[in-house]
Amino acid sequence: IPSSVLKIGYRAFSFCENLSELTILHGVKSIGDEAFSFCKLENLIIPGSLENIGNRVFENCTELKIVTIEEGVSKIGKSAFEECTSLISITIPSTVSIIEENAFKNCSSLEKIYIPNSINTIEYDAFNGCISLKTIDLPSKIMIIPSAAFMNCSSLSSIAIPENVIEIKERAFMG
């Protein structure tokens, strides 16, 4: 997608079942909800010119393995990568401050994720069902671990909870 494109609309490429490669050049500022859902993308670099990763943008991209998000992106939206069952690695930059609900739900191949200290909010169900996730180091700005945030992360063997945490909500680490 050339740098002259500033916006990709709602469901622009969703259900393009043969779409396996995608290059988004620096310049794209907005990607509409569900824009690439149900595609066969394998690797992805999200440019820092993008302000936010919207809702369900890459949902059910079951072939997606490696994602790099460049510095500049500030939010990972609701269900952005939900059901990306082959996702093994994702790089989140220090400019992201919020991971919304269901963002990585059921990313069953995700083994490790680095969550930068810029993150001050992780919402409900964000990592629910990440059954391969082994360790998690929560950033120091996190004060509340929400309901079901890491529920059904059955391989989780190490959790680093920062001193700032004042509440761990129901079912946060259940299962």
PDB file of all heavy atoms in Angstrom, residues 100-129:
ATOM      1  N   GLU A 100      -6.369  -2.796  24.229  1.00  0.00           N
ATOM      2  CA  GLU A 100      -7.797  -2.890  24.515  1.00  0.00           C
ATOM      3  C   GLU A 100      -8.272  -4.340  24.629  1.00  0.00           C
ATOM      4  O   GLU A 100      -7.546  -5.288  24.323  1.00  0.00           O
ATOM      5  CB  GLU A 100      -8.598  -2.135  23.447  1.00  0.00           C
ATOM      6  CG  GLU A 100      -8.423  -0.638  23.559  1.00  0.00           C
ATOM      7  CD  GLU A 100      -9.386   0.149  22.705  1.00  0.00           C
ATOM      8  OE1 GLU A 100      -9.965  -0.379  21.726  1.00  0.00           O
ATOM      9  OE2 GLU A 100      -9.566   1.340  23.015  1.00  0.00           O
ATOM     10  N   GLU A 101      -9.523  -4.495  25.035  1.00  0.00           N
ATOM     11  CA  GLU A 101     -10.097  -5.811  25.306  1.00  0.00           C
ATOM     12  C   GLU A 101     -10.003  -6.742  24.101  1.00  0.00           C
ATOM     13  O   GLU A 101     -10.115  -6.311  22.957  1.00  0.00           O
ATOM     14  CB  GLU A 101     -11.544  -5.688  25.774  1.00  0.00           C
ATOM     15  CG  GLU A 101     -12.492  -5.135  24.749  1.00  0.00           C
ATOM     16  CD  GLU A 101     -13.881  -4.899  25.308  1.00  0.00           C
ATOM     17  OE1 GLU A 101     -14.032  -4.052  26.198  1.00  0.00           O
ATOM     18  OE2 GLU A 101     -14.811  -5.585  24.828  1.00  0.00           O
ATOM     19  N   ASN A 102      -9.725  -8.001  24.405  1.00  0.00           N
ATOM     20  CA  ASN A 102      -9.635  -9.078  23.414  1.00  0.00           C
ATOM     21  C   ASN A 102      -8.530  -8.882  22.379  1.00  0.00           C
ATOM     22  O   ASN A 102      -8.500  -9.584  21.371  1.00  0.00           O
ATOM     23  CB  ASN A 102     -10.966  -9.278  22.678  1.00  0.00           C
ATOM     24  CG  ASN A 102     -12.117  -9.579  23.588  1.00  0.00           C
ATOM     25  OD1 ASN A 102     -11.978 -10.335  24.536  1.00  0.00           O
ATOM     26  ND2 ASN A 102     -13.256  -8.978  23.328  1.00  0.00           N
ATOM     27  N   ALA A 103      -7.619  -7.946  22.570  1.00  0.00           N
ATOM     28  CA  ALA A 103      -6.614  -7.612  21.554  1.00  0.00           C
ATOM     29  C   ALA A 103      -5.857  -8.834  21.041  1.00  0.00           C
ATOM     30  O   ALA A 103      -5.623  -8.967  19.840  1.00  0.00           O
ATOM     31  CB  ALA A 103      -5.639  -6.571  22.089  1.00  0.00           C
ATOM     32  N   PHE A 104      -5.476  -9.734  21.943  1.00  0.00           N
ATOM     33  CA  PHE A 104      -4.725 -10.932  21.562  1.00  0.00           C
ATOM     34  C   PHE A 104      -5.453 -12.206  21.991  1.00  0.00           C
ATOM     35  O   PHE A 104      -4.835 -13.262  22.133  1.00  0.00           O
ATOM     36  CB  PHE A 104      -3.325 -10.894  22.181  1.00  0.00           C
ATOM     37  CG  PHE A 104      -2.509  -9.731  21.691  1.00  0.00           C
ATOM     38  CD1 PHE A 104      -2.398  -8.582  22.450  1.00  0.00           C
ATOM     39  CD2 PHE A 104      -1.878  -9.785  20.468  1.00  0.00           C
ATOM     40  CE1 PHE A 104      -1.657  -7.500  21.997  1.00  0.00           C
ATOM     41  CE2 PHE A 104      -1.136  -8.715  20.002  1.00  0.00           C
ATOM     42  CZ  PHE A 104      -1.025  -7.558  20.766  1.00  0.00           C
ATOM     43  N   LYS A 105      -6.742 -12.129  22.164  1.00  0.00           N
ATOM     44  CA  LYS A 105      -7.511 -13.277  22.634  1.00  0.00           C
ATOM     45  C   LYS A 105      -7.356 -14.461  21.681  1.00  0.00           C
ATOM     46  O   LYS A 105      -7.448 -14.325  20.462  1.00  0.00           O
ATOM     47  CB  LYS A 105      -8.992 -12.901  22.763  1.00  0.00           C
ATOM     48  CG  LYS A 105      -9.827 -14.011  23.377  1.00  0.00           C
ATOM     49  CD  LYS A 105     -11.254 -13.556  23.613  1.00  0.00           C
ATOM     50  CE  LYS A 105     -12.025 -14.659  24.313  1.00  0.00           C
ATOM     51  NZ  LYS A 105     -13.406 -14.257  24.572  1.00  0.00           N
ATOM     52  N   ASN A 106      -7.086 -15.617  22.273  1.00  0.00           N
ATOM     53  CA  ASN A 106      -6.947 -16.878  21.551  1.00  0.00           C
ATOM     54  C   ASN A 106      -5.815 -16.879  20.514  1.00  0.00           C
ATOM     55  O   ASN A 106      -5.890 -17.575  19.504  1.00  0.00           O
ATOM     56  CB  ASN A 106      -8.264 -17.305  20.900  1.00  0.00           C
ATOM     57  CG  ASN A 106      -9.304 -17.635  21.948  1.00  0.00           C
ATOM     58  OD1 ASN A 106      -8.980 -18.137  23.017  1.00  0.00           O
ATOM     59  ND2 ASN A 106     -10.553 -17.340  21.652  1.00  0.00           N
ATOM     60  N   CYS A 107      -4.766 -16.132  20.788  1.00  0.00           N
ATOM     61  CA  CYS A 107      -3.539 -16.228  19.989  1.00  0.00           C
ATOM     62  C   CYS A 107      -2.761 -17.399  20.587  1.00  0.00           C
ATOM     63  O   CYS A 107      -1.825 -17.234  21.364  1.00  0.00           O
ATOM     64  CB  CYS A 107      -2.742 -14.926  20.041  1.00  0.00           C
ATOM     65  SG  CYS A 107      -3.543 -13.570  19.152  1.00  0.00           S
ATOM     66  N   SER A 108      -3.179 -18.581  20.243  1.00  0.00           N
ATOM     67  CA  SER A 108      -2.761 -19.799  20.932  1.00  0.00           C
ATOM     68  C   SER A 108      -1.302 -20.186  20.715  1.00  0.00           C
ATOM     69  O   SER A 108      -0.771 -21.005  21.457  1.00  0.00           O
ATOM     70  CB  SER A 108      -3.677 -20.965  20.546  1.00  0.00           C
ATOM     71  OG  SER A 108      -3.700 -21.117  19.141  1.00  0.00           O
ATOM     72  N   SER A 109      -0.613 -19.601  19.747  1.00  0.00           N
ATOM     73  CA  SER A 109       0.804 -19.911  19.517  1.00  0.00           C
ATOM     74  C   SER A 109       1.741 -18.872  20.131  1.00  0.00           C
ATOM     75  O   SER A 109       2.958 -19.049  20.116  1.00  0.00           O
ATOM     76  CB  SER A 109       1.089 -20.017  18.014  1.00  0.00           C
ATOM     77  OG  SER A 109       0.376 -21.091  17.459  1.00  0.00           O
ATOM     78  N   LEU A 110       1.201 -17.802  20.674  1.00  0.00           N
ATOM     79  CA  LEU A 110       2.015 -16.727  21.246  1.00  0.00           C
ATOM     80  C   LEU A 110       2.695 -17.212  22.522  1.00  0.00           C
ATOM     81  O   LEU A 110       2.036 -17.523  23.503  1.00  0.00           O
ATOM     82  CB  LEU A 110       1.130 -15.509  21.536  1.00  0.00           C
ATOM     83  CG  LEU A 110       1.834 -14.227  21.947  1.00  0.00           C
ATOM     84  CD1 LEU A 110       2.756 -13.735  20.833  1.00  0.00           C
ATOM     85  CD2 LEU A 110       0.795 -13.155  22.281  1.00  0.00           C
ATOM     86  N   GLU A 111       4.036 -17.303  22.483  1.00  0.00           N
ATOM     87  CA  GLU A 111       4.793 -17.823  23.616  1.00  0.00           C
ATOM     88  C   GLU A 111       5.307 -16.734  24.539  1.00  0.00           C
ATOM     89  O   GLU A 111       5.351 -16.912  25.744  1.00  0.00           O
ATOM     90  CB  GLU A 111       5.982 -18.657  23.123  1.00  0.00           C
ATOM     91  CG  GLU A 111       5.570 -19.947  22.467  1.00  0.00           C
ATOM     92  CD  GLU A 111       6.750 -20.777  22.016  1.00  0.00           C
ATOM     93  OE1 GLU A 111       7.898 -20.459  22.371  1.00  0.00           O
ATOM     94  OE2 GLU A 111       6.515 -21.760  21.306  1.00  0.00           O
ATOM     95  N   LYS A 112       5.721 -15.620  23.959  1.00  0.00           N
ATOM     96  CA  LYS A 112       6.278 -14.538  24.769  1.00  0.00           C
ATOM     97  C   LYS A 112       5.929 -13.213  24.124  1.00  0.00           C
ATOM     98  O   LYS A 112       5.936 -13.085  22.910  1.00  0.00           O
ATOM     99  CB  LYS A 112       7.793 -14.682  24.899  1.00  0.00           C
ATOM    100  CG  LYS A 112       8.381 -13.703  25.868  1.00  0.00           C
ATOM    101  CD  LYS A 112       9.828 -13.984  26.165  1.00  0.00           C
ATOM    102  CE  LYS A 112      10.246 -13.021  27.266  1.00  0.00           C
ATOM    103  NZ  LYS A 112      11.639 -12.835  27.367  1.00  0.00           N
ATOM    104  N   ILE A 113       5.639 -12.254  24.958  1.00  0.00           N
ATOM    105  CA  ILE A 113       5.355 -10.915  24.466  1.00  0.00           C
ATOM    106  C   ILE A 113       6.020  -9.919  25.407  1.00  0.00           C
ATOM    107  O   ILE A 113       5.951 -10.059  26.627  1.00  0.00           O
ATOM    108  CB  ILE A 113       3.829 -10.652  24.352  1.00  0.00           C
ATOM    109  CG1 ILE A 113       3.573  -9.308  23.684  1.00  0.00           C
ATOM    110  CG2 ILE A 113       3.129 -10.768  25.671  1.00  0.00           C
ATOM    111  CD1 ILE A 113       2.153  -9.110  23.217  1.00  0.00           C
ATOM    112  N   TYR A 114       6.693  -8.957  24.817  1.00  0.00           N
ATOM    113  CA  TYR A 114       7.291  -7.889  25.610  1.00  0.00           C
ATOM    114  C   TYR A 114       6.287  -6.745  25.651  1.00  0.00           C
ATOM    115  O   TYR A 114       5.876  -6.230  24.618  1.00  0.00           O
ATOM    116  CB  TYR A 114       8.615  -7.419  24.988  1.00  0.00           C
ATOM    117  CG  TYR A 114       9.127  -6.159  25.619  1.00  0.00           C
ATOM    118  CD1 TYR A 114       9.664  -6.182  26.908  1.00  0.00           C
ATOM    119  CD2 TYR A 114       9.045  -4.945  24.962  1.00  0.00           C
ATOM    120  CE1 TYR A 114      10.107  -5.020  27.507  1.00  0.00           C
ATOM    121  CE2 TYR A 114       9.492  -3.781  25.553  1.00  0.00           C
ATOM    122  CZ  TYR A 114      10.027  -3.818  26.821  1.00  0.00           C
ATOM    123  OH  TYR A 114      10.461  -2.660  27.418  1.00  0.00           O
ATOM    124  N   ILE A 115       5.884  -6.400  26.846  1.00  0.00           N
ATOM    125  CA  ILE A 115       4.947  -5.286  27.032  1.00  0.00           C
ATOM    126  C   ILE A 115       5.755  -4.117  27.588  1.00  0.00           C
ATOM    127  O   ILE A 115       6.237  -4.172  28.716  1.00  0.00           O
ATOM    128  CB  ILE A 115       3.804  -5.677  27.987  1.00  0.00           C
ATOM    129  CG1 ILE A 115       3.061  -6.898  27.444  1.00  0.00           C
ATOM    130  CG2 ILE A 115       2.849  -4.502  28.178  1.00  0.00           C
ATOM    131  CD1 ILE A 115       1.993  -7.433  28.365  1.00  0.00           C
ATOM    132  N   PRO A 116       5.935  -3.049  26.793  1.00  0.00           N
ATOM    133  CA  PRO A 116       6.786  -1.936  27.228  1.00  0.00           C
ATOM    134  C   PRO A 116       6.190  -1.162  28.404  1.00  0.00           C
ATOM    135  O   PRO A 116       4.983  -1.217  28.654  1.00  0.00           O
ATOM    136  CB  PRO A 116       6.889  -1.059  25.985  1.00  0.00           C
ATOM    137  CG  PRO A 116       5.675  -1.370  25.192  1.00  0.00           C
ATOM    138  CD  PRO A 116       5.344  -2.811  25.481  1.00  0.00           C
ATOM    139  N   ASN A 117       7.048  -0.438  29.104  1.00  0.00           N
ATOM    140  CA  ASN A 117       6.611   0.335  30.268  1.00  0.00           C
ATOM    141  C   ASN A 117       5.674   1.482  29.926  1.00  0.00           C
ATOM    142  O   ASN A 117       5.077   2.076  30.814  1.00  0.00           O
ATOM    143  CB  ASN A 117       7.819   0.852  31.049  1.00  0.00           C
ATOM    144  CG  ASN A 117       8.366  -0.210  31.977  1.00  0.00           C
ATOM    145  OD1 ASN A 117       7.624  -1.043  32.496  1.00  0.00           O
ATOM    146  ND2 ASN A 117       9.665  -0.194  32.181  1.00  0.00           N
ATOM    147  N   SER A 118       5.526   1.809  28.653  1.00  0.00           N
ATOM    148  CA  SER A 118       4.597   2.859  28.241  1.00  0.00           C
ATOM    149  C   SER A 118       3.140   2.425  28.419  1.00  0.00           C
ATOM    150  O   SER A 118       2.240   3.257  28.489  1.00  0.00           O
ATOM    151  CB  SER A 118       4.839   3.227  26.779  1.00  0.00           C
ATOM    152  OG  SER A 118       4.653   2.079  25.952  1.00  0.00           O
ATOM    153  N   ILE A 119       2.895   1.120  28.486  1.00  0.00           N
ATOM    154  CA  ILE A 119       1.533   0.603  28.628  1.00  0.00           C
ATOM    155  C   ILE A 119       1.029   0.924  30.029  1.00  0.00           C
ATOM    156  O   ILE A 119       1.611   0.508  31.021  1.00  0.00           O
ATOM    157  CB  ILE A 119       1.467  -0.928  28.399  1.00  0.00           C
ATOM    158  CG1 ILE A 119       2.013  -1.317  27.034  1.00  0.00           C
ATOM    159  CG2 ILE A 119       0.047  -1.457  28.619  1.00  0.00           C
ATOM    160  CD1 ILE A 119       1.146  -0.981  25.861  1.00  0.00           C
ATOM    161  N   ASN A 120      -0.076   1.671  30.090  1.00  0.00           N
ATOM    162  CA  ASN A 120      -0.672   1.949  31.403  1.00  0.00           C
ATOM    163  C   ASN A 120      -2.026   1.266  31.569  1.00  0.00           C
ATOM    164  O   ASN A 120      -2.568   1.242  32.656  1.00  0.00           O
ATOM    165  CB  ASN A 120      -0.773   3.457  31.668  1.00  0.00           C
ATOM    166  CG  ASN A 120      -1.546   4.190  30.602  1.00  0.00           C
ATOM    167  OD1 ASN A 120      -2.524   3.688  30.079  1.00  0.00           O
ATOM    168  ND2 ASN A 120      -1.084   5.378  30.259  1.00  0.00           N
ATOM    169  N   THR A 121      -2.555   0.693  30.470  1.00  0.00           N
ATOM    170  CA  THR A 121      -3.840   0.016  30.547  1.00  0.00           C
ATOM    171  C   THR A 121      -3.834  -1.244  29.702  1.00  0.00           C
ATOM    172  O   THR A 121      -3.509  -1.201  28.510  1.00  0.00           O
ATOM    173  CB  THR A 121      -4.984   0.937  30.057  1.00  0.00           C
ATOM    174  OG1 THR A 121      -4.979   2.149  30.814  1.00  0.00           O
ATOM    175  CG2 THR A 121      -6.335   0.263  30.197  1.00  0.00           C
ATOM    176  N   ILE A 122      -4.205  -2.347  30.328  1.00  0.00           N
ATOM    177  CA  ILE A 122      -4.503  -3.592  29.633  1.00  0.00           C
ATOM    178  C   ILE A 122      -5.944  -3.898  29.988  1.00  0.00           C
ATOM    179  O   ILE A 122      -6.290  -3.955  31.162  1.00  0.00           O
ATOM    180  CB  ILE A 122      -3.575  -4.742  30.088  1.00  0.00           C
ATOM    181  CG1 ILE A 122      -2.120  -4.431  29.717  1.00  0.00           C
ATOM    182  CG2 ILE A 122      -4.024  -6.067  29.471  1.00  0.00           C
ATOM    183  CD1 ILE A 122      -1.119  -5.440  30.254  1.00  0.00           C
ATOM    184  N   GLU A 123      -6.784  -4.060  28.979  1.00  0.00           N
ATOM    185  CA  GLU A 123      -8.206  -4.241  29.241  1.00  0.00           C
ATOM    186  C   GLU A 123      -8.605  -5.714  29.342  1.00  0.00           C
ATOM    187  O   GLU A 123      -7.834  -6.616  29.032  1.00  0.00           O
ATOM    188  CB  GLU A 123      -9.033  -3.527  28.167  1.00  0.00           C
ATOM    189  CG  GLU A 123      -8.925  -2.018  28.261  1.00  0.00           C
ATOM    190  CD  GLU A 123      -9.835  -1.284  27.295  1.00  0.00           C
ATOM    191  OE1 GLU A 123     -10.463  -1.908  26.400  1.00  0.00           O
ATOM    192  OE2 GLU A 123      -9.918  -0.053  27.433  1.00  0.00           O
ATOM    193  N   TYR A 124      -9.844  -5.917  29.740  1.00  0.00           N
ATOM    194  CA  TYR A 124     -10.507  -7.203  29.919  1.00  0.00           C
ATOM    195  C   TYR A 124     -10.189  -8.155  28.765  1.00  0.00           C
ATOM    196  O   TYR A 124     -10.227  -7.769  27.597  1.00  0.00           O
ATOM    197  CB  TYR A 124     -12.017  -6.954  30.002  1.00  0.00           C
ATOM    198  CG  TYR A 124     -12.877  -8.182  30.019  1.00  0.00           C
ATOM    199  CD1 TYR A 124     -13.128  -8.837  31.205  1.00  0.00           C
ATOM    200  CD2 TYR A 124     -13.432  -8.681  28.848  1.00  0.00           C
ATOM    201  CE1 TYR A 124     -13.926  -9.975  31.235  1.00  0.00           C
ATOM    202  CE2 TYR A 124     -14.232  -9.811  28.852  1.00  0.00           C
ATOM    203  CZ  TYR A 124     -14.475 -10.450  30.057  1.00  0.00           C
ATOM    204  OH  TYR A 124     -15.245 -11.577  30.084  1.00  0.00           O
ATOM    205  N   ASP A 125      -9.873  -9.400  29.088  1.00  0.00           N
ATOM    206  CA  ASP A 125      -9.705 -10.477  28.102  1.00  0.00           C
ATOM    207  C   ASP A 125      -8.556 -10.265  27.113  1.00  0.00           C
ATOM    208  O   ASP A 125      -8.485 -10.946  26.102  1.00  0.00           O
ATOM    209  CB  ASP A 125     -10.994 -10.659  27.287  1.00  0.00           C
ATOM    210  CG  ASP A 125     -11.799 -11.880  27.682  1.00  0.00           C
ATOM    211  OD1 ASP A 125     -11.393 -12.606  28.588  1.00  0.00           O
ATOM    212  OD2 ASP A 125     -12.849 -12.105  27.043  1.00  0.00           O
ATOM    213  N   ALA A 126      -7.666  -9.336  27.352  1.00  0.00           N
ATOM    214  CA  ALA A 126      -6.642  -8.966  26.377  1.00  0.00           C
ATOM    215  C   ALA A 126      -5.817 -10.150  25.880  1.00  0.00           C
ATOM    216  O   ALA A 126      -5.498 -10.250  24.700  1.00  0.00           O
ATOM    217  CB  ALA A 126      -5.728  -7.889  26.941  1.00  0.00           C
ATOM    218  N   PHE A 127      -5.462 -11.073  26.801  1.00  0.00           N
ATOM    219  CA  PHE A 127      -4.627 -12.223  26.437  1.00  0.00           C
ATOM    220  C   PHE A 127      -5.317 -13.546  26.761  1.00  0.00           C
ATOM    221  O   PHE A 127      -4.659 -14.585  26.806  1.00  0.00           O
ATOM    222  CB  PHE A 127      -3.278 -12.145  27.164  1.00  0.00           C
ATOM    223  CG  PHE A 127      -2.452 -10.957  26.744  1.00  0.00           C
ATOM    224  CD1 PHE A 127      -2.518  -9.758  27.449  1.00  0.00           C
ATOM    225  CD2 PHE A 127      -1.627 -11.022  25.638  1.00  0.00           C
ATOM    226  CE1 PHE A 127      -1.759  -8.665  27.062  1.00  0.00           C
ATOM    227  CE2 PHE A 127      -0.871  -9.935  25.243  1.00  0.00           C
ATOM    228  CZ  PHE A 127      -0.942  -8.748  25.957  1.00  0.00           C
ATOM    229  N   ASN A 128      -6.596 -13.537  26.959  1.00  0.00           N
ATOM    230  CA  ASN A 128      -7.348 -14.747  27.285  1.00  0.00           C
ATOM    231  C   ASN A 128      -7.142 -15.792  26.182  1.00  0.00           C
ATOM    232  O   ASN A 128      -7.283 -15.506  25.003  1.00  0.00           O
ATOM    233  CB  ASN A 128      -8.834 -14.412  27.421  1.00  0.00           C
ATOM    234  CG  ASN A 128      -9.688 -15.583  27.867  1.00  0.00           C
ATOM    235  OD1 ASN A 128      -9.246 -16.732  27.898  1.00  0.00           O
ATOM    236  ND2 ASN A 128     -10.915 -15.287  28.214  1.00  0.00           N
ATOM    237  N   GLY A 129      -6.794 -16.993  26.580  1.00  0.00           N
ATOM    238  CA  GLY A 129      -6.652 -18.086  25.623  1.00  0.00           C
ATOM    239  C   GLY A 129      -5.304 -18.168  24.935  1.00  0.00           C
ATOM    240  O   GLY A 129      -5.140 -18.916  23.984  1.00  0.00           O
TER     241      GLY A 129
END
